[in-house]
Amino acid sequence: MSGIWGNNIKVSIFGESHGNAIGITIDGLPSGFEIDMEKLLFEMERRAPGKNELSTARKEKDLPEILSGYFEGRTTGTPLCAIIRNKDTRSKDYSKLKDYMRPGHADYTGHIRYSGFNDYRGGGHFSGRITAPLVFAGAICKQVLEKEGIYIASHISSIKDIKDDDFNGVNLTREELFNLREEELPLLNKSLEHKIRHKILQAKYEGDSVGGTIECAIIGIKAGLGNPFFDSVESTLAHLIFSVPAVKGIEFGKGFEMTRMFGSEANDEFYYDGDLVKTKTNNNGGILGGITNGMPVIFKVAIKPTASIAKEQNTIDINNKTNVKFRVEGRHDPCIVQRAVPVIEAVAAIGILDLIKGAGQ
Amino acid sequence: MSGIWGNNIKVSIFGESHGNAIGITIDGLPSGFEIDMEKLLFEMERRAPGKNELSTARKEKDLPEILSGYFEGRTTGTPLCAIIRNKDTRSKDYSKLKDYMRPGHADYTGHIRYSGFNDYRGGGHFSGRITAPLVFAGAICKQVLEKEGIYIASHISSIKDIKDDDFNGVNLTREELFNLREEELPLLNKSLEHKIRHKILQAKYEGDSVGGTIECAIIGIKAGLGNPFFDSVESTLAHLIFSVPAVKGIEFGKGFEMTRMFGSEANDEFYYDGDLVKTKTNNNGGILGGITNGMPVIFKVAIKPTASIAKEQNTIDINNKTNVKFRVEGRHDPCIVQRAVPVIEAVAAIGILDLIKGAGQ
Amino acid sequence: MSGIWGNNIKVSIFGESHGNAIGITIDGLPSGFEIDMEKLLFEMERRAPGKNELSTARKEKDLPEILSGYFEGRTTGTPLCAIIRNKDTRSKDYSKLKDYMRPGHADYTGHIRYSGFNDYRGGGHFSGRITAPLVFAGAICKQVLEKEGIYIASHISSIKDIKDDDFNGVNLTREELFNLREEELPLLNKSLEHKIRHKILQAKYEGDSVGGTIECAIIGIKAGLGNPFFDSVESTLAHLIFSVPAVKGIEFGKGFEMTRMFGSEANDEFYYDGDLVKTKTNNNGGILGGITNGMPVIFKVAIKPTASIAKEQNTIDINNKTNVKFRVEGRHDPCIVQRAVPVIEAVAAIGILDLIKGAGQ
Amino acid sequence: MSGIWGNNIKVSIFGESHGNAIGITIDGLPSGFEIDMEKLLFEMERRAPGKNELSTARKEKDLPEILSGYFEGRTTGTPLCAIIRNKDTRSKDYSKLKDYMRPGHADYTGHIRYSGFNDYRGGGHFSGRITAPLVFAGAICKQVLEKEGIYIASHISSIKDIKDDDFNGVNLTREELFNLREEELPLLNKSLEHKIRHKILQAKYEGDSVGGTIECAIIGIKAGLGNPFFDSVESTLAHLIFSVPAVKGIEFGKGFEMTRMFGSEANDEFYYDGDLVKTKTNNNGGILGGITNGMPVIFKVAIKPTASIAKEQNTIDINNKTNVKFRVEGRHDPCIVQRAVPVIEAVAAIGILDLIKGAGQ
């Protein structure tokens, strides 16, 4: 199986980059929820390509059409399906893709997995474009969560070797998080913006690409969410985050950095702040034993450099069974980290809402 | 939900550190499979405490009793349940745990999650001891996989700031992997052993603890295993790996390091080696678009320093709602990384077998 | 949850009778399967209303549009989504439905379940119209099964008190089954057709409705399909069959009739017919211990009389909290049993394909 | 898969009739629930064999041992596993079973399904004995439901051709239901008891067996429980009920009888009884569109005659591939309907609790 996830909120994703439409069905939404369409489209806009020189010049009109589960401006509670028609699809650009397996892409693995019957145009079902429906679904989940006082936001934690600061894990305000959403390159240390922009454009001019990391924070989750073992908050979020193309790593709290600490440094000591239980540090990213402890939930995600580059590369022609040299034609993102930000937030929102809906259990 | 996982192989885990027994049920095993009990017990021994000065002095006789699904030395194909009785449990050591929430542990989050009704003794259901049944289940899955030519092994990639070499991602032999299993401190660069041992013992003598990372490799998986989106190899393995207590991060292939490369460096170029499709590098850890490409599957896991330390720590008394100072009494592991190695391999085996059984689909 | 089902083939259904579109996503289909569109549309036509005086005069142009998972005439193996636009929807007819809870319908239970936010027009998500996507999905599964030599067909076993013969459970040919599919009123005893037609029309003229039973047979399934306990063939089929609106009962083989036999009559004795294991009778409907025995799988389904009738009925006005009398306006089916036939076959096909795909396990 | 079921309450069953132990793990129970052990054992006693001449003389001491998830007399909320050791197992009686496939049993289908590696002794995993853990799990769920005002009880609706009355579907009191639980042969028309007892004993003396039907009622469920399509109350209960060995049919409300009514008779008219919405009749068994309407949930189950009979039968010797005549030796139940009553109630309790726990969604 592949395109369906969830226990209490289920999403069912479908579509190929150059097929008729892409879309998603969300099952388990509360009934009577008023969706703020402007906010929803704003989230989709954050992911959309073609906004500026940092991303591909392709223009996608990602206007979703809601087919079901939505009546008189509110969710009905029955499955909500939305689709996005595919339009600006220059199929010619991708003609070689049928035989030339682009390095770093899923062309080869998809070819084997589906015995050569997959729709190879533009990466088909593996295209980053299929994350648009994820953002759609996540945007609704985000709105539901915000009504319960839970807010999700992220900043670009690094682009190549340029590192932003880390979130202050013990003190994060809603305002700080909201402001990040407005930025094209959301950074805590805004002085890095010029340097990062330059780094991305430099890669672009060299026909190359760069990657980076995203740090995501979720505030407002009460202590006690999640489960030991197989449905821990970490398992749930990691499962979803690795569904996003180009993600190659995830760490919670200080993650890999924690492995270089002593236990006495790494342990987050508890204390009473009035009636509230807090921790002095938040190395564990708000999660202990797979369950939230009431502190901000924080995690970092590794996004590899865009696989599509203009530089010449070696690869195979799977039809002729020969080694070949080629260039990936068409327009590409020199960096997709900034476009991945709303996708990471979206799947995190889906995961957290799923856990919350199961928490009555 | 919490204790059940799987699509094609399902495991159902249960037990508390100081309850009657811990155990696991495995559903979906092939019928007629002859379990090599010696090999199985060897895996469990690798995880067992009390072997030497590096781990806790507690002696656990983790002899599993198979209750079902096993007949005349072979699996029947029906659910196989095995239990391990709890014995060497000095309950007195843990008496304070009821009220004092140990930093870095799940005492507080478990208390909130289960409204104070969880079995707090020795961490209860959150105890690392509950990973013994996981190793049991994983050891069987490993044997099934080995019959299909798939081998899993790991080395300690780092302890605190001491870093071992990385696996050679494009050329890994069965022998290399097998040899690692025999080592108490499996390392690629064996000259580091003394230094690491010293680092761990030093932490022990200071009443402190250290963490580290584990690099795991799986060879013999054919190209085409896994699925796009929600059941990718990465999602599947990450989900399971984060079920293991103390894990705070995972990265596939070069993971976070990839975010500092250019696309032209990160992309693994394909080539024909005779009829075989290979990649020149393996930065992607054998997985593209969530699906294996035939190269070794490689990932690294971050294990935080043992939360139980002898040093005095600040925390809360949840009964009296006061801030307190205390020391975690009893015997503890100054480092659990080496004991986590077979656990990581075990859950990886469960995950890969699950995907393989679903691959007929 | 509600709209998603399956282990190895997953379907995700969505839509309301008067919304933008209804549809279904099928995940887990084999790749490279050539869909026979003519056969598929024939199945959908069997379910369609408006064909003759026995069913409602509403005309539905149930032409599905495939949005994804289908490329150059073949399945890609990725999720296949198809939608059907809603057209001929005289919303006025249904205006009273908002407050008047039609007896026998899901108006009241849906209203409570979704706190009044469900789309009530034409029954919304509970409308029989939503079975069209099920037939679409089932028609594809049927084609996949037929390639493996498995055939599904049904006859009307009874309409009200007029009983057709039963299938010969030990000897059923492909031809017999195929012929049934061509009939508008598929009957084994064709001499009953006139009587049944008259019974339905009589009910129609009286503003009333009738129900009946459907007997479904599946031939070509090898012995050994299914599982003990929770994923038995019976559990799987019953789960799906009860998803079809208006179904109130299911029995396998002789079902309720078996409870009136002695064990010595009910037991199906085995014998070797050459190398083949057969049973002399097939009271168990081809299933023992939840697993197929190689004989035809046979079950009967109870379809209640159409809930929408023209006669005056008592019910409640849920807005004014009063008891009221009313007539369900609009055009209705005096009998939906014949239209339910392809729906029952469709969900059976989905269920059997799911079990078969899991059988590699 | 086979032994795991559930969405919000999950059960994982294991064991063979003559293996070390049988048992069940229940995941998702509320924490802090005080189990009334006496009531629990009473339920298990109702299912136990050997009580009188109506059932087999085998004595099973089905004393469950709780291994986990239970601390200081209360559920912890973590997985609760209980096992029952197998004792009185005269293995000799079953020696022929290896090759002689008992008609009506799962010997043959199990043999094929598990390639001959299943534990054939006493039916192995297919033995009715494995329902004891189901009763254990169901008894806990029943207690949880009763705290929420939901009560489940059943009567024997028929034994062979002797029919008891039906439940009064619109008016059922807790007392009526409770009294039924005390009876060995729970009947509404108690005057039938002698006749039924005689019918069973007559079959016994003739080396034969009889079956029957069970009518089960659940009161106290509020309107709005369940879901359209795949997780309807009917789908959920039918799925679980068909997991019980020997069940061959289920119908909700008037079920098959409804197919012989006119719509005007079958529709249950709504009315306000004060503020309460009720229906004048309950032909739909309290369920419309898969969702409860607040009336008693009522369903009937068909239990086939015990497959094990003393009479000589024809069957196959699967080892020698010959047709043979044989008698099933050992002690058998001439009728298992009365012992199936608590099993049906148990799985119904599991199903309803699962739906209720998911209803927060």
Side-chain angles (χ1 to χ4, degrees):
Chain A
M1 215 51 49
S2 56
I4 290 174
W5 181 89
N7 294 308
N8 306 294
I9 291 280
K10 292 205 183 193
V11 288
S12 165
I13 201 168
F14 55 85
E16 283 83 32
S17 175
H18 289 54
N20 286 336
I22 60 178
I24 198 161
T25 306
I26 319 166
D27 197 1
L29 286 174
S31 62
F33 187 82
E34 220 170 325
I35 300 175
D36 182 330
M37 279 297 161
E38 206 170 323
K39 272 173 81 172
L40 186 149
L41 293 174
F42 173 72
E43 287 294 311
M44 298 198 70
E45 189 59 32
R46 290 173 74 201
R47 193 211 67 90
K51 282 175 306 195
N52 56 45
E53 58 188 355
L54 296 187
S55 64
T56 166
R58 269 179 292 121
K59 280 274 180 195
E60 293 176 10
K61 293 220 189 312
D62 284 348
L63 275 185
E65 180 196 9
I66 300 182
L67 299 181
S68 66
Y70 189 65
F71 180 50
E72 300 180 337
R74 291 171 184 271
T75 57
T76 58
T78 54
L80 188 157
C81 179
I83 62 171
I84 301 165
R85 294 275 167 188
N86 290 319
K87 286 173 196 164
D88 176 24
T89 53
R90 302 192 192 173
S91 283
K92 273 181 303 181
D93 285 349
Y94 297 101
S95 57
K96 258 193 228 160
L97 270 183
K98 192 174 178 179
D99 300 330
Y100 284 21
M101 306 285 103
R102 293 171 302 170
H105 274 288
D107 298 349
Y108 173 66
T109 56
H111 182 93
I112 299 297
R113 170 70 175 78
Y114 298 112
S115 312
F117 292 109
N118 55 315
D119 181 350
Y120 54 83
R121 297 169 301 166
H125 187 56
F126 295 90
S127 165
R129 175 161 169 71
I130 318 304
T131 58
L134 281 179
V135 172
F136 173 87
I140 296 176
C141 294
K142 245 184 194 175
Q143 292 185 22
V144 175
L145 288 174
E146 291 190 1
K147 261 219 158 151
E148 309 195 23
I150 295 169
Y151 302 90
I152 303 179
S154 319
H155 68 101
I156 292 177
S157 185
S158 66
I159 292 292
K160 207 165 185 292
D161 43 10
I162 309 173
K163 256 199 75 27
D164 190 16
D165 300 336
D166 276 1
F167 273 129
N168 175 346
V170 295
N171 190 10
L172 266 171
T173 66
R174 215 167 70 177
E175 287 64 36
E176 260 174 278
L177 297 185
F178 272 17
N179 290 339
L180 287 168
R181 289 194 193 164
E182 304 295 326
E183 308 285 333
E184 193 204 338
L185 289 178
L187 291 161
L188 298 184
N189 178 351
K190 292 190 195 314
S191 71
L192 296 170
E193 186 169 345
H194 179 74
K195 215 169 143 192
I196 284 176
R197 203 172 284 274
H198 185 257
K199 178 75 79 179
I200 296 173
L201 292 178
Q202 195 179 10
K204 184 179 182 179
Y205 299 138
E206 289 170 9
D208 215 325
S209 65
V210 292
T213 58
I214 293 166
E215 190 181 35
C216 183
I218 312 172
I219 61 167
I221 304 181
K222 294 205 184 76
L225 186 73
N227 305 284
F229 291 98
F230 306 118
D231 291 314
S232 71
V233 174
E234 286 137 327
S235 286
T236 300
L237 290 179
H239 191 130
L240 283 164
I241 296 289
F242 277 114
S243 303
V244 178
V247 170
K248 294 305 283 188
I250 189 169
E251 57 183 357
F252 289 86
K254 291 298 171 197
F256 282 91
E257 200 182 319
M258 270 181 104
T259 70
R260 295 185 289 274
M261 298 178 183
F262 283 112
S264 56
E265 298 168 285
N267 285 347
D268 300 309
E269 294 186 321
F270 292 105
Y271 70 100
Y272 275 106
D273 180 10
D275 267 358
L276 283 177
V277 173
K278 293 190 175 169
T279 60
K280 292 178 188 175
T281 49
N282 189 7
N283 297 317
N284 283 284
I287 306 167
L288 287 167
I291 297 173
T292 57
N293 65 5
M295 300 299 291
V297 168
I298 292 176
F299 60 91
K300 251 182 219 150
V301 176
I303 309 285
K304 69 178 186 180
T306 321
S308 291
I309 55 173
K311 278 193 172 171
E312 188 179 74
Q313 295 180 87
N314 295 295
T315 193
I316 56 169
D317 174 332
I318 205 162
N319 188 33
N320 295 309
K321 299 212 168 193
T322 52
N323 295 322
V324 294
K325 280 185 191 303
F326 89 129
R327 285 171 201 279
V328 181
E329 284 167 33
R331 296 149 294 169
H332 308 294
D333 293 279
C335 179
I336 51 158
V337 179
Q338 74 284 9
R339 289 182 58 204
V341 165
V343 184
I344 295 300
E345 291 174 20
V347 297
I350 295 168
I352 293 297
L353 186 56
D354 184 79
L355 286 168
I356 283 179
K357 295 209 73 182
Q361 311 161 24
Chain B
M1 214 51 48
S2 57
I4 290 174
W5 181 88
N7 294 308
N8 305 293
I9 292 281
K10 291 204 184 193
V11 289
S12 165
I13 202 169
F14 55 87
E16 283 85 31
S17 175
H18 289 55
N20 286 335
I22 60 180
I24 198 161
T25 305
I26 318 166
D27 197 2
L29 286 173
S31 63
F33 187 81
E34 220 170 323
I35 299 174
D36 182 330
M37 278 298 161
E38 207 170 321
K39 272 174 80 171
L40 185 150
L41 294 174
F42 172 72
E43 287 294 312
M44 298 197 70
E45 189 58 32
R46 288 174 76 202
R47 192 211 67 91
K51 284 176 305 195
N52 57 46
E53 57 187 357
L54 296 187
S55 63
T56 165
R58 269 178 293 120
K59 280 275 180 194
E60 295 177 10
K61 295 221 188 309
D62 283 348
L63 276 184
E65 180 195 9
I66 299 182
L67 299 182
S68 68
Y70 189 64
F71 180 49
E72 298 179 340
R74 289 172 185 271
T75 57
T76 57
T78 53
L80 189 156
C81 179
I83 62 171
I84 302 165
R85 294 276 168 187
N86 290 319
K87 284 173 195 163
D88 177 24
T89 54
R90 301 194 193 170
S91 283
K92 272 182 304 181
D93 285 350
Y94 297 102
S95 55
K96 258 193 227 159
L97 271 182
K98 194 177 177 179
D99 300 330
Y100 285 21
M101 305 287 101
R102 294 172 302 170
H105 275 288
D107 298 349
Y108 173 66
T109 55
H111 181 93
I112 298 297
R113 170 71 175 76
Y114 297 112
S115 313
F117 292 108
N118 56 315
D119 181 350
Y120 54 83
R121 297 168 302 164
H125 187 55
F126 295 90
S127 166
R129 176 162 169 71
I130 317 305
T131 58
L134 281 179
V135 172
F136 172 89
I140 296 175
C141 294
K142 246 184 193 174
Q143 292 186 24
V144 175
L145 289 174
E146 292 190 0
K147 262 218 158 151
E148 308 195 24
I150 295 169
Y151 301 88
I152 303 177
S154 321
H155 68 102
I156 292 176
S157 185
S158 67
I159 292 292
K160 206 164 185 290
D161 43 10
I162 310 173
K163 255 200 72 30
D164 191 17
D165 300 337
D166 275 1
F167 274 129
N168 175 344
V170 295
N171 191 9
L172 267 171
T173 66
R174 217 168 68 177
E175 288 65 34
E176 259 173 277
L177 296 186
F178 273 16
N179 290 340
L180 287 169
R181 290 195 194 164
E182 303 295 326
E183 308 286 334
E184 193 204 338
L185 289 178
L187 290 161
L188 298 183
N189 178 351
K190 291 192 196 311
S191 72
L192 296 170
E193 185 171 345
H194 180 73
K195 214 168 142 192
I196 283 176
R197 202 173 283 275
H198 185 256
K199 179 73 80 179
I200 296 173
L201 292 178
Q202 195 179 7
K204 183 180 184 179
Y205 298 137
E206 290 171 8
D208 216 326
S209 66
V210 292
T213 58
I214 293 167
E215 191 181 35
C216 182
I218 312 173
I219 62 168
I221 304 181
K222 293 204 185 77
L225 186 72
N227 305 285
F229 290 98
F230 306 119
D231 290 313
S232 70
V233 174
E234 287 138 325
S235 285
T236 300
L237 290 178
H239 190 130
L240 283 164
I241 296 290
F242 277 115
S243 302
V244 178
V247 170
K248 295 306 283 188
I250 189 168
E251 56 182 358
F252 289 86
K254 291 298 171 198
F256 283 90
E257 200 182 318
M258 271 182 103
T259 69
R260 294 185 290 273
M261 298 179 183
F262 282 113
S264 56
E265 298 168 285
N267 284 347
D268 300 308
E269 294 188 321
F270 293 105
Y271 70 99
Y272 275 105
D273 180 10
D275 268 357
L276 282 177
V277 173
K278 291 191 177 169
T279 60
K280 292 178 187 175
T281 49
N282 190 7
N283 297 316
N284 283 284
I287 305 166
L288 286 166
I291 298 173
T292 57
N293 65 3
M295 300 299 291
V297 168
I298 292 176
F299 60 90
K300 250 181 221 152
V301 177
I303 309 283
K304 70 178 186 180
T306 322
S308 292
I309 55 173
K311 277 194 173 169
E312 188 180 73
Q313 295 180 86
N314 294 296
T315 194
I316 55 169
D317 175 331
I318 205 163
N319 188 32
N320 295 309
K321 302 213 166 190
T322 52
N323 294 322
V324 294
K325 281 185 190 301
F326 89 129
R327 285 170 201 280
V328 182
E329 283 167 34
R331 295 150 295 169
H332 309 295
D333 293 281
C335 179
I336 52 160
V337 180
Q338 74 284 9
R339 289 182 59 203
V341 165
V343 184
I344 295 300
E345 291 173 22
V347 297
I350 294 169
I352 294 296
L353 186 55
D354 184 80
L355 286 168
I356 284 178
K357 296 209 74 183
Q361 311 159 21
Chain C
M1 216 50 48
S2 56
I4 290 174
W5 181 89
N7 294 306
N8 306 292
I9 291 281
K10 292 204 184 194
V11 289
S12 165
I13 201 169
F14 55 87
E16 282 83 32
S17 176
H18 289 54
N20 285 336
I22 59 179
I24 198 162
T25 306
I26 319 166
D27 197 2
L29 286 174
S31 62
F33 187 83
E34 219 170 324
I35 300 174
D36 182 330
M37 278 298 161
E38 206 170 323
K39 271 174 81 172
L40 186 149
L41 292 174
F42 173 72
E43 287 294 311
M44 298 198 71
E45 189 58 31
R46 289 174 76 202
R47 193 212 68 90
K51 284 175 305 196
N52 57 46
E53 57 187 357
L54 296 187
S55 63
T56 165
R58 268 178 293 121
K59 279 274 182 196
E60 295 177 9
K61 294 221 190 307
D62 284 348
L63 275 185
E65 180 195 10
I66 299 182
L67 300 182
S68 67
Y70 188 65
F71 181 49
E72 299 179 339
R74 291 173 185 270
T75 57
T76 57
T78 53
L80 189 157
C81 180
I83 62 170
I84 302 165
R85 294 275 168 187
N86 290 319
K87 286 171 195 165
D88 176 25
T89 53
R90 301 193 192 173
S91 283
K92 272 181 303 182
D93 286 348
Y94 296 101
S95 57
K96 257 193 226 160
L97 270 183
K98 193 175 180 181
D99 300 330
Y100 285 21
M101 305 287 102
R102 293 172 302 170
H105 275 287
D107 299 348
Y108 173 66
T109 55
H111 181 93
I112 298 296
R113 171 70 176 76
Y114 297 113
S115 311
F117 293 108
N118 57 314
D119 180 351
Y120 54 83
R121 297 169 301 165
H125 187 56
F126 294 90
S127 165
R129 175 162 168 72
I130 318 303
T131 59
L134 281 179
V135 172
F136 172 88
I140 296 176
C141 294
K142 246 183 192 175
Q143 292 185 24
V144 176
L145 289 174
E146 291 189 2
K147 261 221 158 149
E148 308 195 25
I150 295 169
Y151 302 90
I152 303 178
S154 321
H155 68 101
I156 292 176
S157 185
S158 66
I159 293 291
K160 205 163 187 291
D161 43 9
I162 309 173
K163 255 199 77 24
D164 189 18
D165 299 337
D166 275 0
F167 273 129
N168 175 344
V170 296
N171 190 10
L172 266 171
T173 67
R174 216 167 68 176
E175 287 65 37
E176 260 173 277
L177 296 185
F178 272 16
N179 290 339
L180 286 169
R181 290 195 193 164
E182 304 294 327
E183 308 285 334
E184 193 204 338
L185 289 178
L187 291 161
L188 299 183
N189 178 352
K190 292 192 194 311
S191 73
L192 296 170
E193 186 170 343
H194 180 74
K195 215 170 141 190
I196 283 176
R197 202 173 283 275
H198 184 258
K199 178 73 79 179
I200 296 173
L201 292 179
Q202 195 179 10
K204 183 180 183 179
Y205 300 138
E206 289 171 7
D208 215 326
S209 66
V210 293
T213 58
I214 293 166
E215 191 181 35
C216 182
I218 313 172
I219 63 168
I221 304 181
K222 294 205 185 76
L225 186 72
N227 305 284
F229 291 98
F230 306 118
D231 291 313
S232 71
V233 175
E234 286 138 326
S235 285
T236 300
L237 291 179
H239 190 130
L240 283 163
I241 296 290
F242 278 115
S243 302
V244 178
V247 170
K248 295 305 283 188
I250 189 169
E251 57 183 356
F252 290 86
K254 290 298 170 196
F256 282 90
E257 199 181 319
M258 271 181 103
T259 70
R260 294 185 290 273
M261 298 179 183
F262 283 113
S264 57
E265 298 167 286
N267 285 346
D268 299 310
E269 293 187 322
F270 293 105
Y271 69 100
Y272 275 106
D273 179 10
D275 268 357
L276 282 177
V277 173
K278 292 190 176 170
T279 60
K280 292 177 189 177
T281 49
N282 190 8
N283 297 315
N284 283 283
I287 306 167
L288 286 166
I291 297 172
T292 56
N293 65 4
M295 299 300 290
V297 168
I298 292 175
F299 60 91
K300 251 183 219 149
V301 176
I303 310 283
K304 69 178 187 180
T306 321
S308 291
I309 54 173
K311 277 194 173 172
E312 188 179 74
Q313 296 180 85
N314 295 295
T315 192
I316 55 168
D317 174 331
I318 204 162
N319 188 32
N320 294 308
K321 301 213 167 192
T322 51
N323 294 321
V324 294
K325 280 184 191 303
F326 89 130
R327 284 170 201 280
V328 182
E329 284 167 33
R331 296 150 295 170
H332 308 294
D333 293 280
C335 180
I336 51 160
V337 179
Q338 74 284 9
R339 290 183 58 205
V341 165
V343 184
I344 294 299
E345 291 173 23
V347 296
I350 295 169
I352 293 297
L353 185 57
D354 184 79
L355 286 167
I356 283 178
K357 295 210 74 184
Q361 312 160 22
Chain D
M1 214 51 47
S2 56
I4 290 174
W5 182 89
N7 294 308
N8 306 293
I9 291 281
K10 292 204 183 194
V11 290
S12 165
I13 202 169
F14 55 86
E16 283 84 31
S17 176
H18 288 55
N20 286 337
I22 60 178
I24 198 161
T25 306
I26 318 166
D27 198 0
L29 285 174
S31 62
F33 187 82
E34 219 170 324
I35 300 174
D36 182 330
M37 278 299 160
E38 205 169 323
K39 272 173 80 172
L40 185 150
L41 293 174
F42 173 72
E43 287 294 312
M44 299 198 70
E45 189 59 31
R46 289 174 74 201
R47 194 211 67 91
K51 283 176 306 194
N52 56 45
E53 59 187 357
L54 297 186
S55 64
T56 166
R58 270 178 291 121
K59 280 276 179 193
E60 295 176 9
K61 294 220 189 310
D62 284 349
L63 274 184
E65 180 196 9
I66 299 181
L67 299 182
S68 67
Y70 189 64
F71 181 49
E72 300 180 338
R74 290 174 184 270
T75 57
T76 58
T78 54
L80 189 156
C81 179
I83 61 171
I84 302 165
R85 295 275 168 187
N86 290 319
K87 287 172 194 165
D88 176 26
T89 55
R90 301 193 193 174
S91 283
K92 272 181 303 181
D93 286 348
Y94 297 102
S95 57
K96 258 194 227 159
L97 270 183
K98 192 174 180 180
D99 300 331
Y100 285 22
M101 305 287 100
R102 295 171 301 170
H105 275 287
D107 298 350
Y108 173 65
T109 55
H111 182 93
I112 299 296
R113 170 70 176 78
Y114 298 113
S115 312
F117 293 108
N118 57 314
D119 181 350
Y120 54 82
R121 298 168 301 165
H125 186 56
F126 295 90
S127 165
R129 175 162 169 71
I130 317 305
T131 58
L134 280 180
V135 172
F136 173 87
I140 295 177
C141 294
K142 246 184 193 174
Q143 291 186 24
V144 175
L145 289 174
E146 292 190 0
K147 261 219 158 151
E148 308 195 23
I150 295 169
Y151 301 89
I152 303 178
S154 320
H155 69 101
I156 292 176
S157 184
S158 66
I159 292 293
K160 206 165 185 292
D161 43 9
I162 309 173
K163 255 200 75 23
D164 190 18
D165 300 336
D166 276 1
F167 273 129
N168 175 345
V170 295
N171 191 10
L172 267 171
T173 67
R174 217 168 69 176
E175 288 64 36
E176 259 173 278
L177 297 186
F178 273 16
N179 290 340
L180 286 168
R181 291 194 192 164
E182 304 296 326
E183 307 285 333
E184 193 203 338
L185 289 178
L187 291 161
L188 298 182
N189 178 352
K190 292 192 196 311
S191 72
L192 297 170
E193 185 169 346
H194 180 74
K195 214 169 145 192
I196 282 176
R197 202 172 283 275
H198 185 256
K199 178 74 79 178
I200 296 173
L201 292 178
Q202 195 179 9
K204 183 180 184 180
Y205 299 137
E206 289 170 9
D208 216 326
S209 66
V210 292
T213 59
I214 293 167
E215 189 181 36
C216 182
I218 312 173
I219 61 168
I221 304 181
K222 293 205 184 77
L225 186 73
N227 306 284
F229 290 99
F230 305 118
D231 290 313
S232 71
V233 174
E234 286 138 325
S235 285
T236 300
L237 290 179
H239 190 131
L240 283 164
I241 296 289
F242 277 115
S243 303
V244 178
V247 170
K248 295 304 283 188
I250 188 168
E251 57 182 359
F252 289 86
K254 291 299 170 194
F256 283 90
E257 200 182 318
M258 271 182 104
T259 69
R260 295 185 290 274
M261 298 179 182
F262 282 113
S264 57
E265 298 167 287
N267 284 347
D268 299 308
E269 295 188 319
F270 292 105
Y271 70 100
Y272 274 106
D273 180 9
D275 267 357
L276 283 177
V277 173
K278 292 189 176 171
T279 61
K280 293 178 186 175
T281 49
N282 189 7
N283 297 316
N284 284 283
I287 306 167
L288 287 166
I291 298 173
T292 56
N293 65 5
M295 300 300 290
V297 168
I298 291 176
F299 60 90
K300 250 182 219 151
V301 176
I303 310 284
K304 70 178 186 178
T306 321
S308 292
I309 55 173
K311 278 193 171 170
E312 189 179 75
Q313 296 179 86
N314 294 295
T315 193
I316 56 168
D317 175 331
I318 204 162
N319 187 34
N320 295 308
K321 300 211 167 193
T322 52
N323 295 321
V324 294
K325 280 184 189 305
F326 90 129
R327 285 171 201 278
V328 182
E329 283 167 34
R331 298 150 293 169
H332 308 295
D333 293 279
C335 178
I336 52 159
V337 179
Q338 74 283 9
R339 288 183 58 203
V341 165
V343 184
I344 294 301
E345 291 174 20
V347 297
I350 294 169
I352 292 297
L353 186 56
D354 184 79
L355 286 169
I356 283 178
K357 295 209 74 182
Q361 311 159 22

